[in-house]
Amino acid sequence: MLRDAPSAQTMYKVALTLLIGTLGGVALTLAGLPAAWMSGAMIAVAAAALGRLPIALPDPLRNGLFVILGLSMGAGVTPDVVVRISHWPWTMAGLILVVVLVTAATYTYLHGWLKWDRETAYFGAIPGALSYVFAIASERNVDLTRIAASQSIRLLILIAVLPLVITSTAENPPHGLEHEVMPSLAQMAVLLGLCISASLIAVRLGVPGGWLTGAFFMSSALNASGTLPVALPEPVLIPCYIGLGCFVGSRFQSTTIGVFLSLLKAGLGAVAVGLVVSTCMALVVSVVMQMPFGQLLLAYAPGGLEVMTLLAFMLDMDPAFVAAHQLVRYIGMVLLLPFATRMILGAIKPSVSDAPGVSGK
């Protein structure tokens, strides 16, 4: 059975959202800021959402954007990436330390300084994986609204700040990837079909960020092996950057300005704590391993897999390196978080209604 066509009201909301995002991207591009199309769209749409404007970005459109972005990001994975994989176990060890230190430091800030209750501070301190954190936190007596808003504010600030940090510390400021070899129409049809198939399989298997990561790993394999060129022209990529920025910004459509402002302090503090820890570790590993600082910062930053990987691609970093580290962080959290939560917070206490003899029978 075919899905119903979107209503005129939905189409109006989507068009308005994309228009606002485009205007935000144009504004930051004219200002000469890095990653301007995505961050500008994100800031503009977030502001519109907080202002209660009708914002909407349907899941099928979002998923399609992720497939195209994942496909394009494979252009950053060249054969020499395989040579550098031998260095990754050491940077993965640094990643484990970063996750532990960021969580501990952020928890100390939220619980010790802002006086959040112990359980809410714990879940608010976990870097990234919001949907999975939500699933576990919902079983406990915690403030889910506070956790969601503080995590979203943290991602918002990271996307706006990280490109500035990376470009300001780079010896040669990144300018975006330039590729001369573009796929033909026939190659593009094959490439798109393979990437969509890979994304569908990734989503079915429950791979984090499956729509983007499935296409990304497929295009990476094709590009690194020389099977197909996967570079896409800027006129194709820019609307996708805008769309992703709109998606991140639209996460605030259920957040009021009052709630946003009340949690802004928590979000700013969490970002500051996370960035200080991530930056220090990235600096140490960069010096020891002789690797680009910005690339390590994106790999260690407590942001989302899709966004951090895309920023690496946009800023001429190694997207495969960043994606691998962000993916390992996410998978590690999925595997270990339930056990760590039980060890740190204790077992879930049954409610009165669950107690024996109080079922009402």
Side-chain angles (χ1 to χ4, degrees), residues 312-336:
F313 172 71
M314 296 172 68
L315 298 175
D316 276 351
M317 302 299 172
D318 186 343
F321 177 88
V322 174
H325 285 70
Q326 292 286 348
L327 189 60
V328 166
R329 177 172 64 86
Y330 187 100
I331 293 174
M333 290 173 61
V334 169
L335 295 175
L336 300 177

Side-chain angles (χ1 to χ4, degrees), residues 56-140:
L57 198 67
D59 289 347
L61 177 58
R62 178 201 64 191
N63 297 339
L65 291 172
F66 279 158
V67 171
I68 299 299
L69 287 170
L71 185 160
S72 68
M73 286 156 49
V77 183
T78 54
D80 68 303
V81 169
V82 179
V83 178
R84 296 197 300 271
I85 291 178
S86 61
H87 296 166
W88 292 5
W90 298 105
T91 57
M92 291 290 183
L95 172 68
I96 296 172
L97 186 58
V98 166
V99 171
V100 172
L101 292 178
V102 167
T103 303
T106 308
Y107 171 83
T108 301
Y109 170 74
L110 295 176
H111 180 61
W113 185 262
L114 296 185
K115 306 303 180 184
W116 283 21
D117 67 86
R118 185 165 170 260
E119 293 197 349
T120 303
Y122 168 77
F123 288 110
I126 296 171
L130 178 58
S131 58
Y132 187 68
V133 169
F134 241 51
I136 297 179
S138 61
E139 300 175 348
R140 295 176 177 267

Side-chain angles (χ1 to χ4, degrees), residues 125-329:
I126 296 171
L130 178 58
S131 58
Y132 187 68
V133 169
F134 241 51
I136 297 179
S138 61
E139 300 175 348
R140 295 176 177 267
N141 184 27
V142 298
D143 190 339
L144 295 177
T145 301
R146 178 177 286 183
I147 293 172
S150 62
Q151 293 266 22
S152 296
I153 291 171
R154 178 160 62 187
L155 180 60
L156 181 80
I157 298 171
L158 277 174
I159 295 175
V161 169
L162 278 180
L164 293 173
V165 173
I166 292 172
T167 54
S168 64
T169 56
E171 295 182 3
N172 298 309
H175 49 79
L177 296 174
E178 296 178 0
H179 302 280
E180 296 180 356
V181 181
M182 298 288 173
S184 65
L185 289 179
Q187 290 175 324
M188 180 57 68
V190 173
L191 180 61
L192 189 58
L194 290 173
C195 287
I196 291 174
S197 299
S199 293
L200 289 171
I201 293 172
V203 171
R204 186 67 179 268
L205 294 176
V207 176
W211 289 106
L212 183 140
T213 52
F216 170 58
F217 287 121
M218 173 59 74
S219 66
S220 297
L222 294 172
N223 190 65
S225 64
T227 305
L228 283 175
V230 301
L232 296 180
E234 284 292 307
V236 174
L237 292 177
I238 288 175
C240 294
Y241 297 153
I242 293 172
L244 182 57
C246 291
F247 165 66
V248 176
S250 66
R251 294 173 64 169
F252 291 90
Q253 62 189 115
S254 60
T255 304
T256 64
I257 295 180
V259 171
F260 178 83
L261 293 177
S262 67
L263 293 175
L264 186 59
K265 181 179 180 181
L268 288 170
V271 168
V273 169
L275 273 182
V276 167
V277 174
S278 301
T279 300
C280 290
M281 183 58 67
L283 281 171
V284 171
V285 177
S286 175
V287 172
V288 173
M289 301 294 299
Q290 294 295 301
M291 299 179 69
F293 163 73
Q295 178 175 301
L296 286 161
L297 182 58
L298 286 174
Y300 291 164
L305 165 69
E306 301 98 325
V307 175
M308 295 300 108
T309 306
L310 179 59
L311 281 176
F313 172 71
M314 296 172 68
L315 298 175
D316 276 351
M317 302 299 172
D318 186 343
F321 177 88
V322 174
H325 285 70
Q326 292 286 348
L327 189 60
V328 166
R329 177 172 64 86

